[in-house]
Amino acid sequence: LLRDPLGLMPLFVDRLLAHRGALKVDLSDGYYLAEDNRTLIMLVKPAHPSQDLAFSRQLLQAARNDAQDVCAALLADGAGGSRTELRFGGNPAALTEESGLLKRTVVANGLIAFFAVVLLYWICYRRFAALLYSSVPLLLGQAITFAVAALVLSSLNSASASLPALLMGLG
């Protein structure tokens, strides 16, 4: 748009700028920078798909490290780097966050289900020995199931978050 060798920019610029939404973007300098110079949107295309969680974690960590370096440089220059607010969006950020939530959900479901089953054994049998010879195979079965799942599937999804509770109940 800036070079516009055919001179078509006047024909399309009004129509383009009419659909830019709530953020009033100044396209004259080539950046997605708000007119008040307070908001800058950076669009980044990762080299790997966002479903590659290891790459997405590394990408977000590198972006956060770079952002901290920029904030420190702004602060050193007296430009107010401490007031800079950064938010990361898109598939890599969303999937990384969802992955962390999923892991915590699986662990919480497993622990709650285990203690519920142990409590049920205690109510039914009222013997400590019954708790031992029933809960040890139960935990061993869980460990083997997740070991096989880690080797074969190498990942979990949101549907498998209820797996520990289901396996505990069936065990």
Side-chain angles (χ1 to χ4, degrees):
L1 287 175
L2 294 176
R3 296 189 185 145
D4 194 25
L6 300 176
L8 297 174
M9 187 172 165
L11 298 174
F12 295 109
V13 76
D14 290 335
R15 186 171 213 192
L16 177 68
L17 294 178
H19 299 290
R20 61 188 169 175
L23 180 64
K24 304 299 184 200
V25 177
D26 181 16
L27 296 177
S28 64
D29 57 4
Y31 293 101
Y32 290 106
L33 182 64
E35 289 176 350
D36 62 358
N37 290 331
R38 294 179 53 132
T39 304
L40 172 68
I41 298 175
M42 293 178 55
L43 302 176
V44 179
K45 183 172 182 188
H48 296 281
S50 57
Q51 289 79 13
D52 183 356
L53 290 176
F55 175 77
S56 292
R57 280 189 206 99
Q58 290 175 350
L59 175 69
L60 284 172
Q61 188 58 45
R64 286 186 180 104
N65 291 342
D66 289 344
Q68 288 175 351
D69 292 344
V70 168
C71 287
L74 287 172
L75 189 60
D77 288 344
S82 62
R83 294 178 295 168
T84 303
E85 179 184 341
L86 298 165
R87 289 180 284 185
F88 296 97
N91 283 342
L95 290 176
T96 302
E97 182 180 345
E98 183 180 335
S99 170
L101 291 172
L102 181 64
K103 286 179 183 177
R104 288 191 294 274
T105 302
V106 167
V107 170
N109 281 347
L111 289 174
I112 291 169
F114 175 73
F115 286 116
V117 168
V118 167
L119 179 66
L120 184 63
Y121 282 147
W122 180 256
I123 291 171
C124 292
Y125 299 119
R126 296 189 190 272
R127 289 190 352 222
F128 185 72
L131 291 180
L132 287 180
Y133 68 73
S134 61
S135 61
V136 170
L138 193 61
L139 287 175
L140 188 61
Q142 289 283 331
I144 291 171
T145 300
F146 279 107
V148 169
L151 292 174
V152 174
L153 302 175
S154 74
S155 66
L156 295 174
N157 59 26
S158 57
S160 59
S162 62
L163 187 65
L166 178 69
L167 291 175
M168 288 287 178
L170 290 174

